Amino acid sequence: MGRELQKKKNRSSIPKVKHKPKSKRLHVLGNATVAANWDQTLTLSQNYRQLGLTSKLNDHTGGIERLGSQVKNNLHTAVPAKDRLSVTSKLPTSITPSEARIERDPSTGAILRVFHSHTTTPNPLNDPLNGVLEVYDDDKPPLHLIGGIIPELEEQALMKVKKRPRQQSKREEDWISDLVRKYGENFSHMTRDRKLNPYQQSEGELRRRVRTWKEKRN
């Protein structure tokens, strides 16, 4: 039965749909700075590494991609050091002994605070970014340059986006013009007119639209 159906499909006059192969070319549309510095001959991870960005916060689960020029002798290839920004859920197997000063409550003897001598900033949640990121008291950006396109991206992130005011369409202006021509400033009568106000706009909404319409005319 299957063979007869296959013959019938081959004799059919309906042309077969042929899908084009999916292009491996990556179109960067998110940021103009990243798109201008993107190299189409490199992979996503290689481009991120070249631009000074990271494509994932977690550690690598398998092997790490290397270029052909880097893999000349696998026996002497150095194992890459673990990324400081990688997040891992494994518990430490060994704890390095250190000294700390304990502050106790004079009356109860309970431990109030623990002062570690080897850490400059407190890290009670074992945050892996605690020793990498710097904390600034004011809102000024850091003065040092990290490299790549990071300074330019940070400058773009610090720029405030100007909120564009809402513009009334030509149809909305004609509608407000008809209401003002008929009722003037009587917004209470505008709300009751079911022909000119079919969507039953409230008195406050109509007042705001009329104010915007008058500001544009003036």
Side-chain angles (χ1 to χ4, degrees), residues 17-37:
V17 179
K18 295 182 179 180
H19 298 281
K20 295 182 179 180
K22 186 177 180 180
S23 176
K24 294 183 179 180
R25 185 179 180 88
L26 184 62
H27 299 279
V28 184
L29 303 176
N31 186 278
T33 305
V34 177
N37 295 272

Side-chain angles (χ1 to χ4, degrees), residues 35-81:
N37 295 272
W38 194 268
D39 190 355
Q40 292 291 343
T41 60
L42 302 178
T43 62
L44 185 141
S45 300
Q46 292 171 351
N47 272 288
Y48 268 60
R49 192 181 307 112
Q50 182 176 349
L51 297 177
L53 305 174
T54 176
S55 58
K56 58 175 63 177
L57 290 178
N58 297 329
D59 200 1
H60 297 279
T61 56
I64 298 178
E65 180 184 18
R66 296 184 179 89
L67 297 177
S69 59
Q70 298 175 352
V71 191
K72 293 183 179 180
N73 190 356
N74 293 333
L75 296 177
H76 300 284
T77 302
V79 179

